Amino acid sequence: MTERRGNPAVRVRLLEGAARLLAEEGPSALTLRRVATEADTSTMAVYTHFGSMADLADAVVAEGFARLGVLLAEVPRTDDAITDLAGLGRAYLANARQNPHLYAVMFGTASLGGYRPQTTGERERGRYTFDEIVEASRRAVEQGRLKPAEPLAIARQLWTVIHGYVTLDVGGYFGEGGVEHVLVPMFVNMLSGLGADPAAALASISTLAPAGARSAG
């Protein structure tokens, strides 16, 4: 089939097709022909849009972080840093639910075939998304909601907790009640360990819209 050079829709199909193959069939499925077939396009389209399979694999990860960055940027910033931290966590969950195949390869937990990130520099490609959590953690300390601590250390702990929950949620382990019965209590317990008042933390989190729908997070 004939492709229009630079067609953004084809580029997206190639990215999502590659991520889907990796997530569902593993690194051996990441071949030029399989990716093209999955995206319903020609093998030449891979070279047209990315230059090489290695560049495509790298772009899969970059696309995942770009989508996460958009959702994090859309979280309203309020005068309550705990509310904002919870909002960022909800956005993190929403991104994974909306883009499960991309999420599976973003952090190197699923192999990118022969292109898995190996260097520190490559693993830092999504660091700008993590900075959102660091900034909200800093404001939580400044507002006296958390005990004095290095914001980076706080953010790393919170991110680890959220990432663990999200990975299991996307795997279907919690069902519809996971946010209410697992994520929120776990988040409150984590914040309490960092110095937050449990009741106040729960009240801050509760100001967010309910997250009953899996598509919305």
Side-chain angles (χ1 to χ4, degrees):
M1 61 185 295
T2 301
E3 300 292 355
R4 179 170 66 84
R5 186 176 182 85
N7 186 339
V10 175
R11 186 179 189 277
V12 169
R13 292 207 310 269
L14 287 166
L15 286 170
E16 294 185 338
R20 189 160 50 246
L21 286 171
L22 287 164
E24 295 180 351
E25 300 185 33
S28 63
L30 193 67
T31 67
L32 179 63
R33 187 173 298 277
R34 286 298 308 279
V35 170
T37 299
E38 191 75 10
D40 190 27
T41 186
S42 65
T43 55
M44 183 57 66
V46 174
Y47 299 107
T48 297
H49 290 273
F50 299 100
S52 70
M53 283 295 290
D55 292 328
L56 169 60
D58 190 71
V60 167
V61 176
E63 177 70 10
F65 280 110
R67 295 187 185 191
L68 173 60
V70 168
L71 289 181
L72 293 178
E74 291 176 351
V75 175
R77 300 310 189 257
T78 71
D79 293 332
D80 187 333
I82 299 299
T83 296
D84 295 351
L85 281 169
L88 292 170
R90 292 282 182 88
Y92 192 94
L93 173 59
N95 176 71
R97 287 177 172 179
Q98 292 171 17
N99 306 288
H101 303 300
L102 291 174
Y103 178 78
V105 297
M106 283 168 61
F107 300 99
T109 53
S111 174
L112 281 164
Y115 317 109
R116 182 169 182 167
Q118 297 295 326
T119 68
T120 301
E122 287 173 328
R123 292 186 184 280
E124 291 289 308
R125 77 186 79 198
R127 179 58 183 269
Y128 66 95
T129 60
F130 179 65
D131 288 344
E132 297 272 6
I133 308 174
V134 176
E135 173 59 20
S137 299
R138 180 190 63 77
R139 291 194 294 112
V141 171
E142 290 181 348
Q143 293 172 6
R145 301 298 303 277
L146 300 178
K147 61 186 177 184
E150 172 58 43
L152 178 60
I154 294 172
R156 282 173 171 167
Q157 293 178 67
L158 293 175
W159 179 43
T160 300
V161 167
I162 292 295
H163 184 75
Y165 173 85
V166 169
T167 299
L168 292 173
D169 179 277
V170 173
Y173 287 93
F174 296 126
E176 295 299 329
V179 170
E180 178 184 0
H181 299 297
V182 181
L183 178 57
V184 170
M186 179 178 66
F187 198 56
V188 170
N189 288 339
M190 185 70 190
L191 292 170
S192 299
L194 293 168
D197 175 82
L202 180 59
S204 294
I205 294 171
S206 297
T207 63
L208 295 172
R214 286 189 58 81
S215 61

